[in-house]
Amino acid sequence: MADAAPALKAFFGPQSVAIIGASEDLTKFGGRLFKTMIDFAAGRQSVREIYPVNPGRKTVFGRTSYPSINELPQVPEHVGIVLAADRVLHALEDCAARGVKFATVMSGGFAETGSAEGVRLQNELKAFVKRTGVRVMGPNCNGFANFTDGFVMTNTSAVQGKRDVAGNVAVIGQSGGLAQVNVMWRAIDAGVDISYQVSCGNEADIDAIEFAQFAVEDGASDVVLMAAESIRSGERFRALAQAAAERSKPLIILKFGKTEAGRKAAASHTGAITGADDVADAAFKQFGVIRVDDCNELYEFAKLLRKRRLPRGRRLAALTGSGGHCVLAADTAASLGLQWADFESTTCNALGKMLPSLVGLANPLDLTSAMTGSPRLFSDSLEVISEDANVDVLMPILVAPTLVGIDELVKVNERVAKPVAVLWTGYCPQDNAITVATLNQRGVPAFRDARMCLRAVRTTVDYADFLQRHARQPKTASRDLPADAVARAGALLSQSGRVLTERVSKQALAVYGLPVTRESLARSADEAVQAAEEIGGAVALKIESSDIPHKTEAGGVKLNVHGERAVRAAHDAILASVAAHAPQAKIDGVLVQEMTSAGVEMMLGVTRDITFGTVVSVALGGVHVEVLKDIAHGIAPLTHDDARRMVDSLAGRKLLDGVRGAPACDVEALCETIVRLAWFAQDFAGDISELDINPLMVLPRGQGVRVVDALIVKTNIS
């Protein structure tokens, strides 16, 4: 992805701008838009000129109005368009002819309507962009706000009033009301100031990913919040996440469309199609993107993350004057997988000298009524605890602090290097105007509720873990494959029909280093007996036919067959059963295959997601995947660390460690197999629609894995 910051800098902070459709009628979009723009820009120097364009007026709010873009005294860098949908393209053509670089189309009536006419108009707009190179935001959008440079192009009342302070949190959304009110306005109201806010609508050209890329690359934003109904390109989103990780900038997303009803609503609202939600969830985890479930969680988590203080671990220390809050914090932290630090002896000694004997030195630390009459006891105790090497995150708990106590807390927060997450459950008795938002405005991450506070801590801990893993991973994945692997596997695919037999599927996978069972195709009972003797021991017999992908249902599988007589009987029984089940099927023969030793059955699969592309899945075999839905996904290509985290996320993961006397399994070999399967799937992404390895037998540690059965279905190219 090309750098977005230089390209979009003039979009957000143009030196001259025009509004086609500007009006003085505040009941109209064009009136509210123009009034909001000039009011917001008052006293700011980032935009020299804002021109109204309206052939029906001489002036708009005291400014000279021009009949067309061609009559303006200079070429505006950015043009806002508020016209009926069928007049938009003509206005854009005038912009292109005048040399305008950017345009924002607020007008609705395009693809979001679902009508043939709306889709046609949006397709014409896309063609215009491709032909002229003019960059367009929208249509059907509510514009943007640039707090960093003091410029807005939006009609929302959410930016009215005093908004002089620019923050370091960017908000990118496709919906206007949700992104501007539910996220931006509420974030500012909570004390989290904003750098940029975008409501990009239908995304006919510039989309949420490109705007987020700008925010990641631009120095004004340290955290990027996204509210997305759809992700237009999984590949570009992955590049965005990579850019954010390289800069240690948290990317937090609220992704709609979890349910079927949600997906239908998203499609009707944006004209977009969303991918499967479980795949999106897996992609976010793999890419280090923080997913939230509601609008408030976006800015609540940003409170702590925007400070750019990342913990070394998950050990907390809390202190308060309320014993009940200690119990609440202890229970909540435990439910979120956080730990309470054991204080170092030096910490205990220092606290012991400061605190009365009635105060126990437990963590969370209850200062009890000893705080009464000792205004510095809380801050001094916090200072001592902050120096403890066993403490990764500080959690001061406030109930009814004094003004002096609040000032001291702000000073401590400025001095310490560790993350500080304040839980303030009450009020300031001396001044009710001093609130949690006040603390956030003064740079202290503060929360009203224990669970939200500790969830923000857990999210910050997890993000720090991700950055450490990301730093360890090689920038380019190495591939331990023969030079001709792609050609050899490709030949096997091209020589087969749409459905590959088990044997050919496994041959293609073996080229990529996946361990497969020893086997031989028999075209007669005598050949089956000979093959079984060469393999030795018990064998499995399976029908081979591309017309019968599901062999068991056709009676085409016999397991644990031993001895000449049994092999002949199994061979003949398979042919008879298959002939009755599928008399028209073309039979290649009977596959004679080694029986694998005891292990744990797994399933590996490959599918294509409409958004993120090639998806590799892993699950425990048998009923675990069919009934319990215990399955993990990863987006190809995968690293060994990705594969390990997929396996570790399974609910049945402990089965691989050995239970009830069973030996521990070769998890390292399993992870290596997942990585190699991802290489194969990525290399042949355009050729394969489905791939199943079921079962993959994971053998005892040191013995590897075996692909016991496999099925590859090629893309049906008409």
Side-chain angles (χ1 to χ4, degrees), residues 305-368:
L305 286 163
R306 67 181 177 144
K307 300 302 295 182
R308 307 295 292 274
R309 296 180 188 171
L310 296 178
R312 296 177 302 171
R314 58 188 60 207
R315 299 169 299 178
L316 304 176
L319 71 164
T320 181
S322 167
H325 283 86
C326 287
V327 177
L328 175 63
D331 288 345
T332 306
S335 71
L336 294 171
L338 297 168
Q339 302 166 0
W340 293 103
D342 294 325
F343 290 145
E344 292 180 313
S345 59
T346 53
T347 301
C348 293
N349 291 336
L351 290 174
K353 295 175 182 178
M354 295 168 48
L355 303 176
S357 58
L358 60 89
V359 177
L361 298 182
N363 181 22
L365 178 63
D366 179 10
L367 298 176
T368 69

Side-chain angles (χ1 to χ4, degrees), residues 648-667:
D648 288 347
S649 71
L650 296 173
R653 166 66 176 83
K654 290 185 178 180
L655 291 173
L656 295 169
D657 293 330
V659 294
R660 295 191 176 183
C665 293
D666 201 333
V667 175

Side-chain angles (χ1 to χ4, degrees), residues 45 76 139 142 219 225 270 320 400 420 422 447 470 603-604 654 656:
Q45 303 301 316
N142 211 38
L225 312 182
T270 66
T320 181
V420 177
V422 175
F447 305 83
H470 179 77
M603 185 213 76
L604 301 183
K654 290 185 178 180
L656 295 169

